Amino acid sequence: MSWTPPGPPQLPPQPVPPPMPVAFSGSRNEFFRLVARGAGLELVTLGFYRFWLTTDIRRHLWSNTLIDGDGPEYTGRGKELMIGFLVALAILMPIYLGYFLIGIEAEHLKAFASLPLVAFFYLFGQFAIYRARRYRLTRTVWRGVRFWMSGSGWIYALKASLWGLLVVITLGLALPWREAALERYKMRHSYYGDLQGSFEGRGWDFFKRGWWLWPLMPFALVTVFGPFAYAAFKAIEWRWWLSGIRFGEVRLESTMRRSALIGLYWKVIGWAMLLGTLFSAYLALCIFLAASINGSSIADFFRTEAFARSIPLMVLPGIGYLALALAMNVVMRVYLMRDLWVRVLSSTIVHNIEAAANVTARGELANALGEGFADGLDVAGF
């Protein structure tokens, strides 16, 4: 006979928590009012309100994205974005001027002296993209812990430029491997507190899911099938990218269908056609009004130089064009920012969320200069 000394009772194995779907609680009407009011303020402030509008949009999207019942907080400020843009503009303006003057001289000499500057701007644009992402991460807080990012923007820019050259040489076939390599670098330097990120997506997996788009794309770009092909490509890219993201043991999974985004792009095209038609009718009305003020028929109005000196014909079309641009901004922000965000989230599942329960806060705030460079170079990504 054997005797086992008494000890603490053994607890049964704890059940593995089920995967956690991501939810979105924001109101579409509220977002529409936000961007419509912002478009009006952009008009009044000659575009400078966009820094505060960008901040408000991010706060709305971040705070209404619920992960395990809690939404992240966006702590960025519009003033930071404006200062970053102005500082970046002060740096970029001499470069723009030098590029313009050298470009004129290069054309005069029938040379290719401007190509190094084009390469520099591409390199600088990739640096701006990396720094802008770093800024957004350091302004994102979930459950009291900040995301942050390390790494070098210039190393990333060099990698992106070399991969970009390979994509051009291979006529786009190297694009999946480029995206995988760059995302691995970004995620390897991304953190949630002391929880390090990683990216497990492979270029081959991306290529297998969308290989049929590569031979189809040249044909689709010049036909009505372009929006279908592009929307399918973006859906494949979103699913592949999300399914490869890791933070420690926490991992994401996406179930997005290839057809999930097609309707959004077609709605934007439909609104663009409608707004374009209204703008054309508005221009015709402006011409008729200007001819009436001049006291001549439309045919006579254009035969003379009166149309070139007509003040209403100079002012009214400009007002209509601004209204068209602002309306298109509202449409694109509603469909290709808010609605796309919701569709991406509705297909996203988080595994092992409990691994993020005990993390230590780390990292420092990054300045908004990267966002300013991205804005100044017109490469700002959402």
Side-chain angles (χ1 to χ4, degrees):
M1 296 181 65
S2 61
W3 177 77
T4 302
Q10 294 186 353
L11 299 177
Q14 296 295 319
V16 178
M20 182 68 59
V22 181
F24 187 79
S25 61
S27 166
R28 196 170 190 270
N29 290 335
E30 179 185 353
F31 184 83
F32 174 78
R33 290 193 297 269
L34 172 69
V35 295
R37 178 179 61 86
L41 290 173
E42 280 185 296
L43 177 62
V44 173
T45 61
L46 302 178
F48 271 89
Y49 185 74
R50 72 180 184 271
F51 306 111
W52 284 266
L53 178 58
T54 297
T55 300
D56 291 340
I57 289 174
R58 290 175 182 171
R59 284 176 180 168
H60 177 87
L61 296 178
W62 265 240
S63 62
N64 288 291
T65 300
L66 303 181
I67 305 171
D68 196 17
D70 294 317
E73 178 186 2
Y74 180 74
T75 61
R77 295 182 299 167
K79 182 180 178 181
E80 293 176 338
L81 297 182
M82 186 187 70
I83 292 175
F85 171 75
L86 294 176
V87 173
L89 198 62
I91 298 173
L92 290 174
M93 284 304 295
I95 300 176
Y96 277 126
L97 181 60
Y99 172 75
F100 175 73
L101 296 176
I102 294 177
I104 293 176
E105 186 64 21
E107 289 295 327
H108 176 69
L109 299 174
K110 304 298 183 183
F112 295 95
S114 61
L115 288 180
L117 282 175
V118 174
F120 170 76
F121 270 86
Y122 180 81
L123 181 74
F124 203 67
Q126 297 301 317
F127 166 80
I129 289 173
Y130 189 87
R131 294 287 299 185
R133 173 163 164 162
R134 185 173 183 174
Y135 170 81
R136 290 191 293 270
L137 272 183
T138 59
R139 286 346 187 247
T140 302
V141 179
W142 185 64
R143 290 182 172 174
V145 178
R146 185 183 308 278
F147 288 85
W148 58 286
M149 198 172 182
S150 62
S152 168
W154 289 116
I155 292 178
Y156 173 83
L158 180 61
K159 288 177 176 286
S161 300
L162 294 176
W163 273 105
L165 181 61
L166 185 59
V167 169
V168 173
I169 294 174
T170 60
L171 301 179
L173 289 177
L175 179 63
W177 287 269
R178 175 188 184 272
E179 296 301 312
L182 296 181
E183 198 58 41
R184 277 196 295 270
Y185 183 83
K186 287 185 285 190
M187 287 302 302
R188 187 168 66 247
H189 294 93
S190 299
Y191 296 83
Y192 172 62
D194 59 354
L195 209 60
Q196 185 176 15
S198 62
F199 187 73
E200 302 299 327
R202 299 185 305 165
W204 177 247
D205 294 332
F206 189 4
F207 182 78
K208 283 193 303 182
R209 292 177 180 177
W211 66 268
W212 51 276
L213 286 170
W214 267 260
L216 179 64
M217 194 61 72
F219 170 76
L221 290 177
V222 295
T223 64
V224 72
F225 296 104
F228 288 99
Y230 184 74
F233 172 80
K234 295 304 294 184
I236 292 171
E237 184 181 33
W238 273 109
R239 180 171 181 172
W240 168 80
W241 177 70
L242 285 168
S243 298
I245 291 178
R246 307 285 187 273
F247 276 99
E249 297 299 321
V250 181
R251 67 181 180 91
L252 302 184
E253 179 187 359
S254 175
T255 60
M256 177 172 285
R257 296 177 291 108
R258 282 179 288 191
S259 60
L261 304 179
I262 292 177
L264 296 180
Y265 285 94
W266 275 107
K267 287 177 182 178
V268 172
I269 292 173
W271 274 105
M273 294 175 63
L274 175 61
L275 292 173
T277 302
L278 294 175
F279 181 64
S280 299
Y282 174 79
L283 287 181
L285 181 61
C286 291
I287 293 173
F288 176 78
L289 179 62
S292 299
I293 294 175
N294 191 61
S296 61
S297 66
I298 294 178
D300 294 336
F301 181 67
F302 279 101
R303 288 195 191 102
T304 64
E305 295 182 357
F307 76 95
R309 300 192 303 268
S310 175
I311 295 178
L313 201 57
M314 289 187 291
V315 175
L316 295 178
I319 296 174
Y321 177 78
L322 288 177
L324 173 66
L326 291 173
M328 277 305 303
N329 276 340
V330 172
V331 169
M332 294 184 67
R333 283 164 175 159
V334 170
Y335 287 105
L336 298 185
M337 291 182 70
R338 191 265 176 198
D339 289 358
L340 189 146
W341 180 276
V342 173
R343 293 199 182 187
V344 169
L345 292 181
S346 65
S347 70
T348 304
I349 301 171
V350 183
H351 295 267
N352 302 323
I353 189 64
E354 68 281 357
N358 299 309
V359 295
T360 303
R362 290 186 182 179
E364 297 179 353
L365 292 176
N367 61 49
L369 188 58
E371 286 256 5
F373 282 131
D375 201 3
L377 293 167
D378 198 25
V379 294
F382 173 65

